[in-house]
Amino acid sequence: MKVALFIPCYIDQFYPQVGQATLELLTKLGCEVDFPLNQTCCGQPMANSGFAAASKDCDKNFVRNFTGYDYIVGPSGSCVLHVKEHLKDDKHPEETIHIRKHIYELSEFIVDVLKKEITSAVFPHKVGLHNSCHGQRGLGLSSMSERVLPAFSKPEQLLSKVKGIQLVKPVRNDECCGFGGTFSVFEEALSVKMGKDRIKQHEANDVEYITGVDVSCLMHIEGILKRQGSKIKTIHIAEILNTEA
Amino acid sequence: MKDHATLAEAFIQDEARTNWHDETLWFVRQKRDKAAHGLPEWEQLREWASQIKNHTLSHMDSYLEEFERNALANGVQVHWASDAAEHNRIIHDIIKKKGITRIVKSKSMLTEECHLNHYLEEQGVEVVDTDLGERIVQFRHEPPSHIVLPAIHLKKQDVSDTFHEYLHTEKGNNDPTYLTRAARVHLREKFIASELAITGVNFAVAETGGFVVCTNEGNADMGTHAANVHIACMGFEKLIPKASHLSVFLRLLARSATGQPVTTYSSHFHKPKPGQEMHIVIVDNGRSNILGKADFRNALKCIRCAACFNTCPVYRRSGGFSYHTAVAGPIGSILNPNFDPKKYADLPFASSLCGSCSNVCPVKIDIHDQLWKWRQELTKAGHVPLMKKIMMKGMAFVLGRPALYRFSGASARWVLRYMPFMVKFKINPWYKQREMPAPPKQSFREWYIQNKKK
Amino acid sequence: MSSRDQIFSAIRKNKPAAVPGVTPDLSVVIGYPDLLSQFSTVLTAIGGSCREVASAEDAKQFIASLDKGTFVIDTTAEHPSGLAQLSPAALASVDTAIIRGGVAVAENGSIWVTENEMVNRLLPFIAQQLILIINEKDLVPTMHQAYERISINETGFGVFIAGPSKTADIEQSLVIGAHGPCGMVAVIVRES
């Protein structure tokens, strides 16, 4: 199984440890992983700001880099969703469709495609899971509080097998943290208010870590936590799943 | 005019009040959840509602003809208004012809959309809003901040002060029951004296030519049954084909809106009472234009339950007035740009695209997808601040070129590491209330090439 | 061109391709093992009250035992002639209205009342207290069955009434008795 590792631009630049954990984890799980070296960005920051038409070069570059793989896996629900819904390259329609159909967020790839559980991870901490909207409502990584459907959660399913972990749910289990891409700067006051509220809900549970499948949400939450001088740390799910005794 | 971000920032200044607003509406969302989860067929109901509305939109002309025919046969006078101005004029003509001065109105978002009260005031005609929340905001010369809970932005002290001023209630008596009773006495006088009652329409039924009005307070009924003239105003999209379809919508409406199993009164009007005149004003006001837009016509399915308001993390923390329009919230953000793309260009951006609105919508409007599509439309049409345009085009340029991206990324990390004062200043909206991420020595790619590449 | 014609021509030009209609499959709709207890639970929860009686005679006795104030209009018995024409001002002092209801809906505690039974459209709304008498056999599980049983245009006006009038417009605090009745009692007669 040939898997291409998709490391979104801001993870590449600011959170390389998340990329490393993802790569190591996939390798441990028996995947043949390749990292296409000329990848940049999925185009989402521009598209969500109304400039989808301007991100053509991004799209083309994405198709160029990720053609020829069985699967494409990334540690970011939001970027994966964007590619799934909006990737466009008129000159390579078949390749584009293949990519859109075979791109996965890490936790859903492990649960749905590899159908594996990870029993090697050890993380003896109290952890709150942040359900990121695009992963949850967009990719369907877990059931949603608004819908009347059976309950499930792929990230929780994986985390529940981690030794020593104590997972606690906040109230308003799936409310948005307020990152929202460029919303975080163009609606700064709201974005931060939403983030502060999200943090308060986790603080009430006395967590040591907030984890999630989206580094972008975590980056926003981390930024506020640090400014507040909080002891709570953020950590991507791949980093927890990649721990060992 | 101030945009949503500016108005939201001002709203959030009072954090305690923002928290209260957020909690109050979240409570309504929780009641909605409880009601929805009480019906195992909830998702199926939403699907039926969505399909009935899709079907109706695609046969709108024939159902409207059927409705008109049946309504006329019932003895109801049917008027057609192309736009808000014509709607207002039709109503004013009826008032003028009969020399009517005492008018009551129950809740109708269409009349808000058309600014009917304002228009009639200019013609020297006073309209008394009879929904308690609407009466409160009317006293205060404010528009409603929410389509179902018009005075949700006010605390009981605010209402008490307003009632003290206008209804001479005891100063400082904030008891909701006391205040509601005072309004009851005041409005009963208005009902009894009224000559004309204006109502909205929740659903109009093609096969019978009748229409349904839902309230909890009974104010629509008090008004219409007391007055000798009843004018019901509806956008044409309120139409549904059959009486049996009402079951689907009435089961969804109140549960979605407030978590009640049904509103207290679901009133079915068909014929005027003896001696009464009944009018229906059917309004287009841009709706036929929306019908022609494949990406946006879904918004016409809206039944005005406001579930999307209550669930919206942005609405709950920025209040209805931050949307600077009659219909606020997520649905307002996809409806209003149809009417005035320039004026409402900010609204589709007043969202983190979390998608909760689409999930609660009882008629399955793809609200958050439409928000995304509106962003593209508005940008294409040039309704975008210059700075944003420069920023986005610049980003797209860099991110479309791998070598340039790597150079810029490395530079950014270098700047953050060695010259943080270059980015850490207050006009950087990220840094204002958040720290920047700590810049690592290596990008993932650099690490990969060094350690993993075969 | 008239506005009517303009609107129709715009709709005809812009409407989407035909989408088929749908007939709800009622087999997936919720049912209740005990309609009466479901109805009574919901009605009580929304501020009304419910009394089950064995016969029409018992209903009369029960209603006689209630405090109904001085001005009572009972449309199920002899009522003032000209009630239909009675002015709002005259009706404003009605303490209690007693009206026969039709179909009653277990899922939401609502009762269908038509113009024939209320005689004056304003009566069930303007009275301070409302008593509706219904038959147990008229209980149905949901609105779907209710609409199968009624013709909404059988009379010029009909209404589903679910409890007393209410509002929560002041800080979401529920207040029973907004503009309409402050109390509502459903009397359910077991025999027909």
Side-chain angles (χ1 to χ4, degrees):
Chain A
M1 186 188 290
K2 258 178 89 181
V3 175
L5 184 60
F6 164 38
I7 298 299
C9 50
Y10 67 98
I11 299 181
D12 178 41
Q13 294 299 329
F14 294 111
Y15 296 92
Q17 73 277 17
V18 174
Q20 291 160 19
T22 307
L23 173 64
E24 286 168 14
L25 192 59
L26 287 170
T27 311
K28 262 190 232 172
L29 291 165
C31 300
E32 186 194 325
V33 189
D34 189 19
F35 176 73
L37 286 170
N38 278 323
Q39 57 179 291
T40 59
C41 167
C42 62
Q44 180 170 225
M46 285 75 77
N48 283 7
S49 307
F51 289 82
S55 65
K56 275 190 196 123
D57 290 345
C58 257
D59 281 32
K60 276 189 221 153
N61 186 58
F62 198 93
V63 174
R64 218 168 17 238
N65 274 273
F66 289 99
T67 294
Y69 295 98
D70 298 323
Y71 295 100
I72 298 110
V73 180
S76 162
S78 188
C79 306
V80 166
L81 179 70
H82 178 76
V83 171
K84 233 181 204 336
E85 288 188 335
H86 300 296
L87 185 71
K88 210 172 155 215
D89 182 352
D90 294 335
K91 288 216 176 98
H92 303 92
E94 274 173 40
E95 289 86 344
T96 304
I97 288 170
H98 180 85
I99 292 171
R100 286 171 66 159
K101 280 192 177 157
H102 293 86
I103 188 163
Y104 284 86
E105 178 280 327
L106 177 67
S107 70
E108 70 171 336
F109 182 71
I110 298 172
V111 171
D112 293 347
V113 180
L114 299 179
K115 298 190 184 357
K116 288 198 174 158
E117 53 183 44
I118 297 150
T119 49
S120 52
V122 182
F123 199 69
H125 298 286
K126 200 170 184 186
V127 177
L129 172 65
H130 171 62
N131 285 300
S132 62
C133 302
H134 287 178
Q136 188 199 25
R137 297 190 184 85
L139 295 172
L141 298 185
S142 61
S143 51
M144 301 155 248
S145 60
E146 303 94 358
R147 305 287 303 274
V148 182
L149 294 168
F152 69 94
S153 165
K154 292 169 197 180
E156 263 180 59
Q157 190 183 324
L158 291 173
L159 287 170
S160 66
K161 296 283 186 267
V162 174
K163 288 189 196 80
I165 199 168
Q166 194 188 344
L167 260 186
V168 278
K169 272 194 219 285
V171 292
R172 306 194 190 182
N173 190 35
D174 53 11
E175 193 178 31
C176 179
C177 69
F179 173 67
T182 51
F183 175 83
S184 63
V185 293
F186 294 121
E187 286 263 14
E188 181 268 339
L190 255 172
S191 170
V192 171
K193 176 64 183 142
M194 286 162 72
K196 280 161 72 180
D197 289 355
R198 192 81 274 235
I199 287 168
K200 232 182 261 161
Q201 292 152 15
H202 281 288
E203 271 172 350
N205 285 339
D206 214 10
V207 299
E208 300 165 69
Y209 288 89
I210 297 173
T211 189
V213 301
D214 252 300
V215 182
S216 52
C217 304
L218 295 176
M219 173 171 76
H220 163 69
I221 291 170
E222 181 191 45
I224 300 170
L225 282 170
K226 279 189 179 167
R227 180 61 61 89
Q228 291 175 339
S230 171
K231 276 188 229 147
I232 301 173
K233 292 182 279 291
T234 53
I235 186 167
H236 187 265
I237 188 170
E239 297 174 87
I240 296 182
L241 295 175
N242 193 43
T243 53
E244 273 168 19
Chain B
M1 194 198 57
K2 287 178 180 163
D3 69 354
H4 183 273
T6 311
L7 293 164
E9 188 170 5
F11 186 87
I12 294 168
Q13 289 287 312
D14 188 343
E15 191 163 6
R17 199 169 173 120
T18 305
N19 291 342
W20 165 79
H21 192 264
D22 168 58
E23 289 288 346
T24 308
L25 286 157
W26 182 256
F27 176 61
V28 183
R29 154 81 206 269
Q30 285 178 307
K31 288 196 290 183
R32 172 261 170 215
D33 287 355
K34 207 171 156 224
H37 285 270
L39 294 182
E41 69 269 31
W42 182 257
E43 298 297 334
Q44 182 63 64
L45 265 180
R46 294 175 68 222
E47 182 57 31
W48 288 336
S50 169
Q51 288 181 19
I52 293 167
K53 284 281 185 181
N54 285 336
H55 167 75
T56 314
L57 288 178
S58 73
H59 296 81
M60 188 50 82
D61 49 340
S62 49
Y63 283 129
L64 275 174
E65 278 173 344
E66 185 184 355
F67 176 77
E68 181 189 38
R69 199 167 54 240
N70 289 323
L72 291 171
N74 290 337
V76 179
Q77 300 180 45
V78 180
H79 310 262
W80 298 87
S82 285
D83 53 23
E86 191 172 10
H87 161 267
N88 294 346
R89 233 175 13 246
I90 289 168
I91 293 171
H92 186 227
D93 283 347
I94 298 169
I95 293 167
K96 235 180 3 194
K97 211 166 75 187
K98 303 202 153 286
I100 286 169
T101 55
R102 297 188 302 272
I103 301 166
V104 291
K105 179 162 80 69
S106 63
K107 206 179 319 166
S108 148
M109 290 327 296
L110 176 66
T111 60
E112 292 292 335
E113 175 189 319
C114 297
H115 302 289
L116 175 70
N117 283 13
H118 181 73
Y119 171 84
L120 290 178
E121 256 167 50
E122 281 182 344
Q123 317 298 317
V125 179
E126 191 207 352
V127 178
V128 175
D129 282 328
T130 58
D131 173 85
L132 176 58
E134 286 205 323
R135 188 61 178 148
I136 295 167
V137 296
Q138 189 177 37
F139 278 139
R140 298 170 62 92
H141 307 288
E142 286 173 355
S145 69
H146 185 289
I147 58 174
V148 170
L149 316 164
I152 196 69
H153 58 291
L154 297 173
K155 293 200 163 194
K156 51 192 178 194
Q157 302 86 282
D158 305 324
V159 178
S160 174
D161 290 345
T162 302
F163 278 13
H164 174 69
E165 186 181 345
Y166 291 94
L167 301 179
H168 312 297
T169 54
E170 284 165 36
K171 188 150 184 66
N173 190 335
N174 300 341
D175 176 33
T177 304
Y178 169 75
L179 297 169
T180 302
R181 290 284 179 268
R184 178 184 171 95
V185 170
H186 159 70
L187 285 166
R188 279 196 156 224
E189 282 169 21
K190 301 289 181 190
F191 287 127
I192 290 163
S194 78
E195 300 165 286
L196 180 142
I198 300 168
T199 70
V201 168
N202 289 93
F203 306 99
V205 183
E207 72 171 351
T208 65
F211 57 92
V212 176
V213 180
C214 303
T215 74
N216 281 319
E217 298 180 4
N219 57 316
D221 290 287
M222 287 289 276
T224 54
H225 306 318
N228 280 326
V229 185
H230 174 188
I231 306 176
C233 309
M234 60 178 266
F236 68 66
E237 82 283 8
K238 295 286 157 194
L239 200 60
I240 56 173
K242 291 172 190 296
S244 64
H245 294 149
L246 285 169
S247 59
V248 173
F249 292 103
L250 290 184
R251 296 188 80 201
L252 287 165
L253 178 62
R255 286 183 173 95
S256 297
T258 60
Q260 294 171 263
V262 70
T263 48
T264 304
Y265 304 107
S266 309
S267 299
H268 298 54
F269 294 88
H270 279 89
K271 294 177 180 167
K273 67 177 185 186
Q276 192 191 36
E277 266 181 33
M278 196 182 276
H279 301 260
I280 297 174
V281 186
I282 303 173
V283 181
D284 183 338
N285 202 33
R287 286 164 175 75
S288 58
N289 181 34
I290 303 176
L291 192 62
K293 300 181 192 170
D295 281 345
F296 302 118
R297 69 166 63 100
N298 245 335
L300 292 174
K301 289 152 74 178
C302 178
I303 58 172
R304 302 290 191 268
C305 71
C308 62
F309 287 54
N310 306 335
T311 201
C312 179
V314 168
Y315 177 86
R316 277 187 268 111
R317 293 176 181 83
S318 61
F321 299 147
S322 66
Y323 294 77
H324 54 85
T325 173
V327 178
I331 186 70
S333 296
I334 60 171
L335 279 172
N336 287 297
N338 284 299
F339 304 129
D340 190 340
K342 189 162 179 251
K343 186 172 173 194
Y344 300 116
D346 55 329
L347 296 186
F349 294 92
S351 162
S352 61
L353 300 180
C354 80
S356 188
C357 45
S358 305
N359 270 348
V360 295
C361 179
V363 291
K364 291 192 161 184
I365 301 171
D366 50 347
I367 304 175
H368 75 291
D369 287 333
Q370 286 199 33
L371 288 168
W372 191 88
K373 288 173 186 163
W374 266 118
R375 293 179 181 191
Q376 315 308 323
E377 287 288 314
L378 293 163
T379 301
K380 245 186 272 168
H383 303 302
V384 60
L386 182 65
M387 263 315 287
K388 190 177 188 176
K389 192 168 161 183
I390 294 169
M391 224 172 110
M392 287 303 142
K393 294 245 162 148
M395 265 176 85
F397 187 82
V398 171
L399 291 167
R401 288 158 183 79
L404 182 57
Y405 155 75
R406 290 194 289 270
F407 171 75
S408 311
S411 316
R413 273 181 286 120
W414 189 88
V415 168
L416 262 171
R417 275 181 84 79
Y418 300 109
M419 304 168 77
F421 53 87
M422 291 286 285
V423 276
K424 294 189 174 179
F425 48 83
K426 286 278 169 151
I427 62 158
N428 171 355
W430 181 276
Y431 187 67
K432 203 171 155 193
Q433 300 184 72
R434 281 169 292 215
E435 294 299 322
M436 304 294 289
K441 280 193 200 112
Q442 276 184 321
S443 71
F444 172 76
R445 183 179 182 276
E446 287 159 0
W447 171 86
Y448 180 83
I449 290 171
Q450 205 173 53
N451 297 284
K452 296 279 167 175
K453 202 166 168 257
K454 286 150 247 173
Chain C
M1 196 158 51
S2 72
S3 292
R4 183 188 181 281
D5 293 345
Q6 264 177 35
I7 294 169
F8 272 97
S9 92
I11 289 174
R12 285 193 186 107
K13 193 178 98 206
N14 289 338
K15 68 176 181 177
V19 175
V22 61
T23 308
D25 165 19
L26 297 195
S27 70
V28 304
V29 168
I30 196 167
Y32 302 99
D34 182 346
L35 292 180
L36 183 57
S37 99
Q38 172 67 23
F39 178 83
S40 158
T41 305
V42 176
L43 183 56
T44 310
I46 58 179
S49 68
C50 206
R51 176 65 176 248
E52 198 191 327
V53 294
S55 65
E57 195 47 47
D58 287 358
K60 256 186 215 161
Q61 275 180 24
F62 167 68
I63 291 168
S65 75
L66 295 173
D67 176 12
K68 297 184 289 299
T70 48
F71 190 1
V72 179
I73 294 182
D74 181 355
T75 63
T76 70
E78 216 172 298
H79 51 77
S81 61
L83 171 58
Q85 280 76 44
L86 214 56
S87 73
L91 286 166
S93 52
V94 172
D95 291 306
T96 302
I98 304 167
I99 302 171
R100 174 156 287 285
V103 162
V105 187
E107 69 162 327
N108 60 26
S110 71
I111 296 170
W112 176 248
V113 184
T114 72
E115 187 166 22
N116 281 351
E117 277 84 34
M118 61 184 84
V119 184
N120 186 310
R121 289 186 189 185
L122 195 53
L123 182 63
F125 304 98
I126 203 166
Q128 299 292 331
Q129 303 287 331
L130 177 64
I131 299 173
L132 295 176
I133 305 171
I134 55 172
N135 290 326
E136 190 186 2
K137 67 172 176 50
D138 289 332
L139 279 167
V140 294
T142 73
M143 294 300 270
H144 301 291
Q145 294 87 1
Y147 278 103
E148 282 178 355
R149 292 269 286 266
I150 62 175
S151 300
I152 60 167
N153 56 349
E154 185 193 338
T155 65
F157 176 73
V159 57
F160 280 104
I161 298 178
S165 84
K166 58 180 86 67
T167 183
D169 273 350
I170 301 173
E171 259 195 41
Q172 277 295 290
S173 307
L174 180 69
V175 178
I176 301 284
H179 308 296
C182 298
M184 185 259 166
V185 184
V187 181
I188 305 173
V189 183
R190 249 182 267 123
E191 69 169 27
S192 53

